[in-house]
Amino acid sequence: MWTADADGAARHRLAPAKVNLALHVTGRRPDGYHLLDMLVAFADIGDRVTWRPGGSACRLSVDDRLLRPEPVPVDTSNLAWRALALAGRLGAAPLAGDLTVEKSLPSGAGIGGGSSDAAAVLRLLLTETATDEAFLQAQAVRLGADLPVCLAGRPTRVQGIGERLTPVALAHALAVVLVWPGEGLSTPAVFRARAAEDRDAIPATAIDALAQDPLGAIADLRNDLEEAARALLPAVGHAADALRESAGCRLVRMSGSGSTVVGYFADGNAAAEAADRISAGAPHWWVRAGVLQA
């Protein structure tokens, strides 16, 4: 849902972190794309996207809240810019204005920062148009495999290469701590490092159980990229250990291809206390307590 300034001059939307509750690699297509079966939810933590219409052209600026070795690009390599161009092609009228992305999510983190930014742009600019949802999803997947689920923005089972979406029901929101151990990982590099073994899909019993006991449902599931990510970046394992040693932590799982690790906690107070403790012990890590929305 987007919000507007009191004078209506600007619209704002959260671009939430995308968190994998599970990620199974089930096969590979002849063109090299891996086939996945994933459970995804979205946090109340994210970037902030703002659109201010006006002028005669479109402009993108990035307000980066994190210290990165390289600045976030503002050219066509930025997914938010590419989403702006797509919205311009799909909209009923030419677009002109200023797009600002306030970056609070780390890069190379496995939590879909760029894809979520792009999805927020499309929602901001196309919500009031007559763009067909199925058509929008089909166009968006060309920008990236995570775009369709980020457009959905709710708990979802994702299959194929990211184009097959099935909404799922979580019994309740989940208190979490996200830990990014100060370094990112390249998704292609993680897939290359992974042992070439295709595994089973997520069982239907686990999908059904999400509506009663979400953590119990995913406890026997996995992230098939975690072992490769740990081998490439041992800090992933260190972050996971820090979460497991925290009071109230019930489950730890890496998100996406890493390097963010997610701890699931008994309640929000336990999550906040764990985040404070981990931050104090590793000040160069990005640590956030939050909630995965049901």
Side-chain angles (χ1 to χ4, degrees):
M1 203 54 194
W2 57 267
T3 60
D5 288 348
D7 60 6
R11 297 176 182 178
H12 312 276
R13 189 178 181 97
L14 178 72
K18 174 190 71 69
V19 173
N20 290 92
L21 285 73
L23 189 160
H24 292 202
V25 181
T26 60
R28 193 169 186 177
R29 299 194 322 191
D31 61 7
Y33 281 95
H34 288 85
L35 298 173
L36 306 175
D37 195 356
M38 304 182 290
L39 293 175
V40 170
F42 291 87
D44 59 350
I45 303 161
D47 298 335
R48 178 180 165 96
V49 177
T50 297
W51 171 250
R52 292 181 177 85
S56 59
C58 291
R59 294 160 295 275
L60 170 67
S61 61
V62 174
D63 180 5
D64 195 358
R65 304 303 175 90
L66 301 176
L67 295 177
R68 304 176 201 259
E70 296 181 1
V72 177
V74 292
D75 57 17
T76 55
S77 64
N78 189 305
L79 275 179
W81 177 258
R82 293 165 63 189
L84 178 60
L86 176 59
R89 293 195 298 271
L90 298 180
L95 286 173
D98 292 295
L99 180 69
T100 303
V101 180
E102 297 176 15
K103 292 294 297 179
S104 298
L105 300 178
S107 303
I111 51 177
S115 296
S116 192
D117 293 345
V121 171
L122 292 173
R123 287 298 184 208
L124 271 178
L125 300 180
L126 296 176
T127 296
E128 294 181 336
T129 71
T131 305
D132 177 76
E133 184 68 20
F135 178 73
L136 176 59
Q137 293 278 358
Q139 294 297 309
V141 76
R142 299 180 181 181
L143 299 182
D146 279 342
L147 256 294
V149 72
C150 288
L151 277 170
R154 56 151 297 164
T156 302
R157 183 183 189 180
V158 184
Q159 295 170 280
I161 64 168
E163 81 286 5
R164 293 169 53 198
L165 307 182
T166 307
V168 298
L170 296 185
H172 52 78
L174 300 172
V176 294
V177 175
L178 310 185
V179 179
W180 179 73
E183 297 179 67
L185 281 168
S186 159
T187 297
V190 173
F191 272 100
R192 286 194 298 270
R194 173 182 166 268
E197 179 185 1
D198 297 332
R199 310 282 292 277
D200 57 298
I202 296 172
T205 52
I207 303 296
D208 294 339
L210 291 170
Q212 285 77 44
D213 178 14
L215 291 188
I218 65 175
D220 292 329
L221 305 179
R222 19 168 239 281
N223 184 330
D224 286 338
L225 302 179
E226 186 166 345
E227 183 177 355
R230 284 171 175 255
L232 291 172
L233 184 62
V236 171
H238 301 158
D241 291 341
L243 285 165
R244 289 194 182 93
E245 293 166 1
S246 300
C249 185
R250 297 178 56 190
L251 180 69
V252 176
R253 177 134 317 134
M254 190 180 79
S255 181
S257 57
S259 56
T260 299
V261 182
V262 184
Y264 296 83
F265 282 78
D267 55 54
N269 289 334
E273 291 173 4
D276 288 343
R277 182 188 66 81
I278 293 170
S279 293
H284 62 291
W285 289 359
W286 178 89
V287 184
R288 300 290 187 275
V291 171
L292 298 188
Q293 307 289 353

